[in-house]
Structures are given as C-alpha cells and as structure tokens.
Amino acid sequence: MTLGETKGIILFTKDYKEKDKLVKIFTESFGKLMFFVKGAHRKNNPIGSALLPFTEAVYIGDFREDGLSFLNGSKKVYPLRVIQEDIFVNAYATYILNLVDAAIEDRTYDPNLFYFVQQALRLLNDNKDAEIITNIFEIQLLSRFGITPEWRHCCVCQETRGKFDYSSKYSGVLCERHWHLDSHRYHADPRAVHFIRLFSTISYDKVQDINVKSETKTAIRQTIDELYDEYVGINLKSKKFIDQMKSWEDTLKLPKREKKDEERDTTIS
C-alpha cells in the first residue's frame, strides 16, 4: 500500500450497490488502478466532481498493489467540458480511453503513455480534428500491443520518398518499385499511407491545425482498420459506435459546431 497522490484521468466508472462506485483511473504514477469510492453518489461528496467521465485531477488515496485501491480526496480537478457535452467528440475520446485500457495491463507504470493520452484528450477538448487526433493515437499505440511496423522507409531499399504501400510480409512499407514483391500487400491508397507514415512519428506538440480531405480520411480509416484487424484483433463497442455515427453525424451536428468547422483555417505542421 502506498499513501500519496498522483495525477490521473478517469477511464470509466461503475455503480456499486446503491451509494458506492468502482472507478478506474489511469494514473501517472501507478498505471491503471480500480478504486472503490464509498458514498460516491452522495450529493455532498467532496470528490464527486473528480469522478465524472472525462475528468483529469490529482487523486489522493491508498494505491495498492493488489485488489482495490481507495480514494480519499482530490484537487486540481480539470473537467474536459467539450468532450463531456459534445456527443461526437465524446465518441472519439471514449474510443481512445478504451484502447488504452486494452493496450496495457493494470498497474503498468507508463508515464509516457499517460502524457500521450492527456495530450490527445486536451486536443479533442480544444475542438481539433477528432478523426486525425484519434488516427495518430491509434498508430502510435500499436507499439503497446507489441506491433512495430517499419514506417520510416521501404523495407527493401530504405527509400523514403514516393508512393508506398503496407506489406504484412515485410512488416512495413514497400516503395512503388518493390510492390511486386508482395502480391498480398494492402493495396492501400498511397495518400493514406503517406499520412499514416507521418502519424507514426509526429508529436502532438507539433500538431497545430490539421487539414485532410474527407476522402483521404476515409482511406486512412480503412487502412488503420485493416492494421488493427490483422494485428490487434479487438472489438470495441466505442469503435462500432464511431463507425455507425458517420452515417448520422451530419444530421445531428449542432449549428455552432458547423460554423467552427467552416471557419477553421487548417494546416498540418
């Protein structure tokens, strides 16, 4: 048992009996932990606001190596309001958190991943392009699943320029001159592979605004889905929801949100 405090991000909460909760938090110092929170549903619970979905805070409690941990308090509570209130942004944030929960075991110390998740969520909360922020996260998270494709250059000749396609046979990209070496390569849109190669190394710190055509986004989505189907093999409800959401997103999109999208001058840097 360790008494102390740590930064944390709420992964999910689950009601336990009538007044209590089980809360899973991705902590900076201890990895993912499940906490028991007694009286969580009380209106005057001092840590109630720190237990809401899509919230960052400094959590104070007993952090245990086995079984449930216990929360005693919180401070520096930072609710991600846009994610909490916008169903579309919420969907992508939920998927990112579900991926994290699937990618590492509980109690795995991984402060770099914690920071990466924090950056992704804050960019979503700032109304940056949710699809692209999520794509970057998916590609860079592959390493946590033990998958490390070679994106930097052609696996055969180390070429870094031109058109590329992904090859499972070579566990990386092939330049156009060597496509003939793998008839079962993905036959992906070269534009999609171009952006995925960029996503594999880009830092969120360097992402300002992003502009990718809708048809290219679709091609990127198809290629990443193929990668995850082949190598990761997880079926998340949040991912299915995003796929379904695309069919009715335009119908339910709020007018204010449409205006923001139209006015945004987007580039990638």
Side-chain angles (χ1 to χ4, degrees):
M1 179 178 68
T2 301
L3 299 175
E5 61 182 50
T6 179
K7 294 179 182 178
I9 299 169
I10 297 291
L11 290 177
F12 67 82
T13 66
K14 181 180 180 181
D15 290 340
Y16 183 76
K17 297 184 178 179
E18 293 184 4
K19 298 180 180 179
D20 308 325
K21 273 183 180 285
L22 295 176
V23 183
K24 196 164 198 179
I25 302 176
F26 186 20
T27 72
E28 180 182 38
S29 303
F30 305 99
K32 299 184 304 172
L33 292 174
M34 185 72 80
F35 293 85
F36 174 75
V37 184
K38 188 173 180 61
H41 291 291
R42 293 199 317 263
K43 291 183 179 180
N44 61 346
N45 190 312
I47 63 172
S49 62
L51 303 179
L52 295 174
F54 311 110
T55 298
E56 299 178 20
V58 174
Y59 294 95
I60 304 164
D62 302 338
F63 306 97
R64 304 199 172 188
E65 295 181 2
D66 296 298
L68 297 174
S69 296
F70 296 88
L71 287 181
N72 299 328
S74 64
K75 60 183 182 180
K76 298 181 180 179
V77 179
Y78 179 62
L80 299 165
R81 296 291 188 194
V82 172
I83 296 176
Q84 291 174 346
E85 297 171 1
D86 188 314
I87 187 174
F88 302 105
V89 182
N90 183 298
Y92 288 98
T94 299
Y95 175 50
I96 283 174
L97 294 181
N98 288 170
L99 280 176
V100 171
D101 200 19
I104 60 171
E105 297 293 332
D106 289 356
R107 300 180 175 84
T108 299
Y109 175 67
D110 197 336
N112 291 331
L113 181 56
F114 176 86
Y115 182 56
F116 189 49
V117 175
Q118 186 181 56
Q119 285 183 301
L121 294 180
R122 291 192 175 190
L123 286 170
L124 292 179
N125 201 58
D126 288 341
N127 273 317
K128 301 302 182 184
D129 192 308
E131 292 177 81
I132 299 303
I133 295 304
T134 302
N135 291 157
I136 293 170
F137 192 88
E138 290 172 298
I139 290 301
Q140 296 193 23
L141 192 68
L142 282 173
S143 63
R144 295 311 196 284
F145 290 106
I147 312 302
T148 55
E150 177 57 77
W151 298 110
R152 296 168 299 173
H153 50 67
C154 175
C155 292
V156 175
C157 68
Q158 287 72 57
E159 177 63 71
T160 60
R161 297 182 180 182
K163 293 182 179 180
F164 292 85
D165 195 6
Y166 186 78
S167 166
S168 301
K169 177 180 177 180
Y170 288 88
S171 299
V173 291
L174 294 177
C175 69
E176 191 172 12
R177 289 183 301 166
H178 294 104
W179 286 354
H180 68 280
L181 296 177
D182 184 4
S183 60
H184 298 292
R185 58 188 171 84
Y186 275 23
H187 295 88
D189 186 327
R191 294 171 298 175
V193 178
H194 165 77
F195 278 103
I196 290 172
R197 293 180 66 218
L198 175 64
F199 295 166
S200 71
T201 58
I202 195 169
S203 167
Y204 278 142
D205 291 330
K206 296 181 180 179
V207 173
Q208 302 302 320
D209 291 302
I210 301 170
N211 182 25
V212 179
K213 294 180 179 178
S214 59
E215 54 267 35
T216 303
K217 284 184 178 182
T218 299
I220 292 170
R221 178 74 271 153
Q222 291 173 344
T223 303
I224 293 178
D225 282 351
E226 194 167 353
L227 283 165
Y228 266 73
D229 288 344
E230 178 177 0
Y231 290 110
V232 181
I234 57 174
N235 295 302
L236 299 175
K237 290 182 179 179
S238 53
K239 175 58 170 59
K240 293 179 181 178
F241 181 79
I242 288 173
D243 293 341
Q244 294 169 353
M245 183 177 69
K246 298 298 292 182
S247 64
W248 45 263
E249 183 176 4
D250 291 336
T251 302
L252 296 184
K253 188 177 289 186
L254 299 176
K256 185 181 292 186
R257 182 176 170 79
E258 286 184 322
K259 187 175 182 181
K260 284 183 180 179
D261 287 345
E262 290 170 359
E263 292 177 349
R264 197 168 58 210
D265 181 18
T266 57
T267 57
I268 186 165
S269 60

